[in-house]
Structure formats: C-alpha cells, structure tokens
Amino acid sequence: MAIDTTVVIPGLEGVPIAASSISLVDGDGGRLYYRGYSIEELTLGTSFEEVIALLYDGELPNAARTAEIVAEIEAGRALTPAQIQIARDLATVTHPMFALQAAVAALAPKVNNFDQGDFEAATHRGIALTAKVGHLVGVIAQAAAGRPYDGPRPGETMAHMTLRMLTGTEPTELHERVMNALLVLQADHSAANASTFTTRVVTSTKAEPEAVVSAAIGALSGPAHGGANEASLRMFMEIKDPARAEEVVTGMIDRKDRIPGVGHRVYKVKDPRSTVIQRLADEVLVRDADKAFYSIALTIERIVKERFGTRGLWPNVDLFSGCVFGALDIPIDFFTPCFAAARTAGWSVNIVEQLQSGNRLFRPDQLWVGPEPRAFVPIEAR
Ligand SMILES: CC(C)(COP(=O)(O)OP(=O)(O)OC[C@H]1O[C@@H](n2cnc3c(N)ncnc32)[C@H](O)[C@@H]1OP(=O)(O)O)[C@@H](O)C(=O)NCCC(=O)NCCS
C-alpha cells in the first residue's frame, strides 16, 4: 500500500491502527457490537462478569464458564494493605481520575519483564486488573468521602461492590441492575478510540499491563474523551433551571463553544449508547433534581438536532450518562473513574489482541518543519 508521506493526517482520522475482532463501532448505522452482539441486547441483563468473558473468549459464556470467571474476578480483585493505603492517600491530594491513574501504576510488579508471548498469562493478568480497578475506584471514593475502608464481600458482583463502595450505602436491586448495565455499556468501544489506542501504543513498547492501563486512564481523563460525562453534568448544574436550557445552549452554539456530550468522531447519527442510557434514565430517575438535569439534557438534544443534525453532529453517550450516574448517587468526580473501571475490561482484552498481532512497536513518522541543521552558538555570543 502506498502511503502519502507528504501530508499529516490530524488525529489519524480514518487511518486503521489495528485489525480487531473485539468490538465494532458502526458510525453510519449508529450501532455498537461486542464480538457481534449488540449493546442494546447485552445491556438487558447480561452481567458485567459475563461480558468480560465474552470480550476475552469471543463467545457468550455458559453457566460453567460464568462461574469460573466470577471466581477468577473475585480472587483477582484482592489488593494488598499497601496498595489500599496508596490509593487512600492519593484520594486526598488529587482528582479521583489522577488518583486512580497513579494507584493503578502502583499495582505493577517491582520487576519490569512482562512475558509478551504468554497470552494465557496476559489474559489472567487482565482479568485481575479489571477486577482490581473497580475495587480501587471504590477505595478512592471511600477515602475521598472520609469513610473507612470497607472492601469487597464474598459473592458480591462487580456492580454491587463498585456502587456500594462509591456511595457508602447498600444498593437497591434496581440501582445494582442499572450500574451493571453502565459497566457493560462502557466496557469497550473499538481499538481506535483515544484511550484504547493509547493501550495499543504502550503495549507495543512491551510495558507491564498496569503501566498500559495507567496510561489509558490518563487518556480517558480528558474532557474530549471520558471526562465529558462530568463536564456535561457540571454544565447542567450551572444551567440549573430547565427553562434556561434553550437560551444557554443557543448562546453556546452562537459563540461556537463546545457543548460537552455532543459530537463524535465516528458516529454520524445518534450514539447507540445514549439510547441505552436513556432507557436506564427512564427507570432510575425519580428525584426532581435528577429529572431537572435530564430535562436540560433533552432540551440540549432537541436544539443540537435542529441546529446540527444535518451536519452529522449528535448527542453522544456523555450528554445523558452523567444524569444516570448522578441518580445512582455516584459523586460527580467519580463518573469518569467509573467509566475507567468498565473500560479496563476492553483495554485489557486489547492488550492481549495487540500481543497476538505480533505487537510491532508503534513508531510513525513526522513531517519536519523546523530549521535546517545550523552551527551551535555559545551562550556569550547569543
Ligand atoms: C468528540 C469530539 C472531540 C470529536 O471531535 P472531532 O471529530 O475532532 O470534530 P471536530 O472538532 O473536527 O468538529 C467538527 C465540527 O463540529 C463542531 N463540533 C464538534 N463537537 C462539537 C460540540 N461538542 N459542540 C459544538 N460544536 C461541535 C466543531 O466546532 C466543528 O465545526 P466547524 O466545522 O464549523 O469548525 C468533539 O465532538 C467534542 O469536543 N465533543 C465534546 C466532548 C465530548 O462530548 N466528548 C465525548 C465523546 S464520546
């Protein structure tokens, strides 16, 4: 294939960076599939644990495989007292997303010699890492709220554990079900989104999986990526009254401000994840304040459709996800860490697929636009 080496492709838009069979984003059709199964169906009751098995194995797990992966997740999520203390200390000094990034890096072993050829070991390491990241999010939330450590319980699902540790209360059956659907919904989104691409790049340097996931968390933290769920709810909090939403958003559009939760590089129709989130919102929003935020989101959706629909600019998952996270009593600065807990599943599977692909080092090129080589000038002559 001839590559035009005379032009830069900003954002690598349209450039395939991997051959993948994990998840498919159909941007024109507005669909998302994990291993061929639609996200609409997977969020109707499949557990996050089953989805982790699906992402790794390529097939929906039967009862025996489900029991096996549940046991592996339960064993894998254990943290040492030192790892818990590090995460608790980090929670007091920085945003939970950066605390999580640092705490995940601190899970890496003292030696730096990850065996790139042992796909089986990489799989088990990734399953444990997915379990540990959910646990860490809970640890950081407990410390941030000044609560003592109260870790995973035997037999507790990932959804129940994460939500209980985040909120400090026993989740209702409905809230656990919605949390599970959120974890499933955000578990993967192709190999080429910014954080999963980061996963691929860092894996290609033969780094330890914990270093890979830590880097991916950094990529996810940005408001152009995962941080948009927090940004959109903060915007709703500022708007406050649904009656003001139209005026505020119209003003933002006229000023050419970016509206968080709107637009997507790949989806040119409505993001299928927002359709699922809206289904969950219908179930879980009961308080007036939560309903007011949702009403603001719906007004923004209407205006964005009117003003931008023909240009292929639509609401994405993050316009609505903050409303649902909020209705579950998850603190606002933990929306993106929750996203990270879910997405660690996809990142870890992408690590294995990257290793299996031969794992060639990502080392693209640049176009040089700087000065020609020139003579050094000593400081006294400058
Ligand atoms: C996600 C995002 C980075 C994708 O951007 P992209 O593919 O690089 O799109 P571009 O930046 O090239 O924007 C294309 C056009 O749409 C407009 N646009 C894109 N997102 C917009 C938004 N959120 N609000 C208002 N206008 C937006 C741009 O201003 C640009 O308009 P122009 O052609 O008149 O200059 C971008 O849509 C965005 O910043 N969205 C808000 C953050 C967000 O919700 N992120 C979560 C994604 S799941």
Side-chain angles (χ1 to χ4, degrees), residues 225-351:
H225 194 7
N229 56 17
E230 180 178 333
S232 67
L233 198 74
R234 289 202 189 280
M235 173 176 68
F236 303 164
M237 287 159 94
E238 243 178 83
I239 295 176
K240 209 169 167 184
D241 180 358
R244 290 185 58 235
E246 178 151 6
E247 179 200 327
V248 173
V249 171
T250 305
M252 288 177 80
I253 293 173
D254 293 343
R255 285 193 305 277
K256 295 195 175 298
D257 290 348
R258 291 258 154 165
I259 306 167
V262 171
H264 198 274
R265 178 67 60 78
V266 182
Y267 291 121
K268 296 305 164 212
V269 294
K270 185 165 173 171
D271 181 339
R273 299 168 300 170
S274 40
T275 309
V276 173
I277 288 266
Q278 287 185 272
R279 196 179 73 208
L280 300 174
D282 289 340
E283 285 193 80
V284 85
L285 296 179
V286 286
R287 291 180 301 220
D288 287 346
D290 296 330
K291 285 184 181 165
F293 290 147
Y294 189 55
S295 158
I296 293 170
L298 290 175
T299 303
I300 296 174
E301 178 181 38
R302 175 175 58 75
I303 294 165
V304 165
K305 264 194 222 164
E306 283 167 13
R307 298 278 298 264
F308 291 140
T310 50
R311 287 177 50 192
L313 204 56
W314 291 77
N316 62 53
V317 63
D318 292 319
L319 188 66
F320 303 102
S321 62
C323 295
V324 175
F325 279 128
L328 295 180
D329 285 329
I330 295 172
I332 186 164
D333 48 2
F334 281 87
F335 295 177
T336 321
C338 281
F339 188 168
R343 186 56 63 83
T344 304
W347 291 331
S348 312
V349 181
N350 272 273
I351 291 175

Side-chain angles (χ1 to χ4, degrees), residues 87-106:
R88 286 186 66 86
D89 290 346
L90 286 164
T92 63
V93 293
T94 185
H95 185 287
M97 206 47 189
F98 307 132
L100 184 66
Q101 184 178 11
V104 169

